[in-house]
């Protein structure tokens, strides 16, 4: 498909934009959405940009019953000079196709959907907020729409992109969180869907998340489903630990989401010649490092927060304070570098940014 | 809520009913559906029976992104005298509430939804087919509808019941199937969502299912996610093995769906004084029993097929033929007894049936 083939129906009743300081995550949506359909006969077709609107879907549509769906999450940023740029969007569409394969959903044309996304963001560019720390969150997703109750891959799908202006993740500067290590529930296991970005993984995580939230923890740290010993990831972040000068992150073992931010962190560390290893890490290893004073920093990485320092881990009822509950030096440096590149304040040596507009109107 | 409070909007343009001999599973739907909404402020409310119609749902609704959903599957049968009866519906709503708990979905009032279901089936009673082996498949389900992209339990839900007339599972009499033991993919693991009836479990199973279908197997047999040795269940059935006169089925260990048909089979076996045990069973144990000639029968149990004899198991490239690929005597006896009770041909000593109508009009 050619990007020229995308039909555009402009919204004739644009909404009022929320005030930048009142933006929450994922509650406000822009004036337009991108939609395209799939059928076995036509493949992906009927690509259009249209006013943001409810979907009309048969109650027997497979997504409601058998969870055949995938999604992605990425962001567009407004630079100081007013341009709008996307952060590593090709990585997200590449990952979406990996998720598609696991969920038996037809492949998308990565180049085409990137062009469609650029066109959509261009149309809604006034929705990209400009204040410090704000951004436009982008949610591409695919749902199975065949009206059929048999347990089988759907023959019809919708690919949709919606956009949501979001406020700063850190209202008062980057700040460490308290995380509880989950011993009862399991998010994913090797052979399952853990490395795909699909709804079921998140549904599985709600219960553990809810239980620890009551005790004041912001997220859970998932352990592996087989031995219940090895560290996997946090709710919606990958995790890193700095032990005795070396940075360690769990290897991509099949049950962990391969985060785009994780990849960016690894590239930066290598660029800086900081020793880093991707391998299996047990909670016991962390506890031992904590005991002998070599657990220097811990942080999560993800699109929403970029870097989220971990100030406290609670495991089997015992508290492990990390770096006196303060943001570590390396965590801060990574955060400043990635956000600096995203907002166009720093050079972009890895070509992570993709321009949507040149000198677009600033919405402030 | 009182059943009297259910608003009823009759369909003024009823559809033509499909011919009984052309009924497929889960493709045709009746004229009405039951819908009720949930909000934190009002709880479950707005219960209504209305014409079957598409749902209008915001693209940011949580079910599309984080898979927060549960469902059930049960059947209504038309007896020879023309009455319509439900098979063990209370078990399904009880299980739905267990699924709800795991998925952090608000509890439903089991008695109320049963009454709502009876009312719905009563209204669409002419859709319950009467030919041998046919039935009305009933699909209650709950989806998370809050328009919000945060990963958290939704604050809004829809509970829906749709009805689908289905043909006979066995067109030419009960017939054994070929099943492949899955060694690569995992459906569920202890601590995960395996014992809940939620979309993600089925999404996870599609890939394995697709791979073996190419080789002519009708379903996969899932092994446990930890040791990859112990038998769990088949695609949408629990499994039973008769070894040396004793019937064995995997115990409900937290990753297996507690099937209603499984429970019915267990009750029947006890009633007949046939030795039965619910315990861990490894594939190796089956292979050994096969080798020494004591693996007498194998069958799956589920709402769709009732009993599905297994004539062949393929494990690690090796074929294990069971009972010469023929339906076992006990499998047949259980099938005949359960279907006999469902269609009102046999006494119902366990009070499994719940009457919807007395002497309703026969749709034949
Ligand atoms: C389960 C999970 N792990 C890790 C991540 C981090 O991935 P990324 O850096 O691509 O946002 C996310 C967030 O998207 C996630 O949902
Ligand atoms: C995964 C799974 N196991 C077992 C069963 C059998 O359960 P039931 O006998 O309640 O239909 C089903 C079907 O509903 C199922 O989906």
């Amino acid at each position: 498909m050619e990007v020229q083939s995308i039909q555009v129906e402009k919204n004739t009743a644009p909404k009022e934009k929320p005030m930048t300081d009142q933006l929450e995550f994922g509650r406000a949506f822009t004036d337009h959405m991108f939609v395209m359909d799939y059928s076995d006969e036509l493949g992906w077709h009927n690509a259009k940009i249209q006013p943001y609107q409810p979907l009309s879907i048969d109650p027997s549509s497979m997504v409601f019953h058998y969870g055949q769906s995938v999604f992605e999450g990425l962001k567009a940023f407004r630079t100081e000079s007013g341009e709008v740029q996307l952060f590593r969007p090709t990585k997200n569409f590449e990952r979406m196709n990996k998720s598609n394969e696991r969920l038996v959903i037809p492949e998308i044309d990565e180049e085409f959907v990137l062009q469609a996304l650029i066109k959509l963001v261009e149309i809604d560019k006034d929705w990209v907020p400009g204040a410090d720390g704000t951004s436009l969150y982008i949610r591409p997703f695919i749902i199975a729409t065949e009206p059929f109750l048999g347990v089988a891959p759907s023959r019809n799908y919708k690919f949709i992109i919606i956009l949501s202006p979001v406020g700063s993740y850190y209202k008062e500067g980057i700040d460490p969180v308290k995380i509880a290590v989950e011993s009862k529930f399991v998010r994913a296991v090797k052979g399952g869907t853990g490395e795909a970005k699909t709804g079921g993984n998140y549904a599985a995580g709600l219960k553990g998340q809810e239980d620890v939230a009551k005790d004041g923890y912001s997220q859970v740290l998932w352990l592996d489903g087989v031995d219940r010993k090895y560290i996997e990831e946090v709710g919606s972040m990958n995790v890193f630990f700095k032990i005795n000068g070396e940075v360690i992150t769990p290897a991509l073992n099949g049950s962990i989401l391969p985060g785009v931010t994780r990849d960016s962190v690894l590239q930066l560390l290598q660029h800086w010649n900081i020793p880093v290893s991707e391998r299996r890490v047990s909670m016991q290893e962390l506890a031992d490092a904590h005991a002998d004073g070599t657990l220097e920093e811990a942080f999560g990485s993800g699109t929403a927060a970029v870097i989220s320092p971990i100030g406290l881990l609670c495991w089997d009822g015992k508290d492990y304070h990390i770096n006196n509950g303060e943001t570590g030096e390396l965590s801060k440096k990574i955060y400043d570098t990635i956000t600096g590149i995203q907002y166009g304040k720093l050079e972009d040596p890895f070509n992570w940014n993709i321009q949507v507009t040149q000198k677009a109107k600033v919405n402030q």
Side-chain angles (χ1 to χ4, degrees), chain A residues 179-183 212 215 217 283 312-321:
Chain A
I179 301 270
V181 180
E182 177 64 55
S183 324
V212 305
D215 300 323
Y217 298 97
M283 259 318 292
L312 175 85
L313 273 178
C314 176
W315 181 41
D316 268 351
K318 196 167 166 232
D319 280 351
Y320 297 82
H321 293 271

Side-chain angles (χ1 to χ4, degrees), chain A residues 4 9 21 23-24 72 90 101 119 125 132 136 169 184 201 267 275 293-294 337 363:
Chain A
Q4 291 79 3
E9 183 200 336
D21 58 355
L23 287 172
E24 278 183 83
E72 271 303 328
T90 54
E101 213 210 317
K119 191 160 176 159
K125 63 178 179 285
D132 228 30
L136 185 74
Y169 192 87
K184 187 170 166 204
N201 297 335
Q267 283 194 47
T294 53
T337 308
N363 167 39

Side-chain angles (χ1 to χ4, degrees), chain A residues 288-331:
Chain A
D288 293 346
H290 185 267
D292 66 20
T294 53
L295 177 54
E296 296 155 1
E297 296 187 33
F299 60 88
S301 74
T303 294
V306 184
I307 295 298
S308 177
I310 299 171
L312 175 85
L313 273 178
C314 176
W315 181 41
D316 268 351
K318 196 167 166 232
D319 280 351
Y320 297 82
H321 293 271
I322 301 168
N323 196 36
N324 299 315
E326 279 162 31
T327 299
E329 208 178 300
L330 181 63
S331 308

Side-chain angles (χ1 to χ4, degrees), chain A residues 265 267-274 330 333-335 337-338:
Chain A
V265 171
Q267 283 194 47
L268 273 183
L269 293 171
Q270 276 147 13
H271 187 67
W272 292 335
N273 284 315
I274 293 175
L330 181 63
K333 184 175 168 185
I334 298 170
Y335 177 80
T337 308
I338 295 180

Side-chain angles (χ1 to χ4, degrees), chain A residues 197-253:
Chain A
K197 209 160 163 72
T198 182
N201 297 335
Y202 298 82
L206 292 174
K207 182 82 178 156
Q209 173 68 32
E210 206 203 22
D211 288 354
V212 305
K214 289 179 195 134
D215 300 323
Y217 298 97
S218 70
Q219 301 233 12
V220 302
L221 179 66
W222 298 107
L223 299 182
D224 78 282
V226 174
D227 298 300
R228 305 277 190 112
K229 277 187 198 166
Y230 300 100
I231 293 170
E232 299 244 310
E233 58 187 326
V234 167
S236 47
M237 293 192 286
N238 296 106
V239 277
F240 290 81
F241 304 97
K242 183 159 167 263
I243 300 180
N244 211 6
E246 187 193 25
V247 179
I248 299 159
T249 191
L252 301 177
N253 60 355

Side-chain angles (χ1 to χ4, degrees), chain A residues 1-31:
Chain A
M1 270 190 294
E2 298 292 311
V3 66
Q4 291 79 3
S5 70
I6 300 174
Q7 292 172 45
V8 179
E9 183 200 336
K10 282 283 178 72
N11 193 329
T12 53
K15 288 173 277 202
E16 198 159 333
K17 296 179 185 65
M19 305 295 286
T20 300
D21 58 355
Q22 281 164 22
L23 287 172
E24 278 183 83
F25 178 83
R27 291 220 181 263
F29 297 91
T30 69
D31 287 324

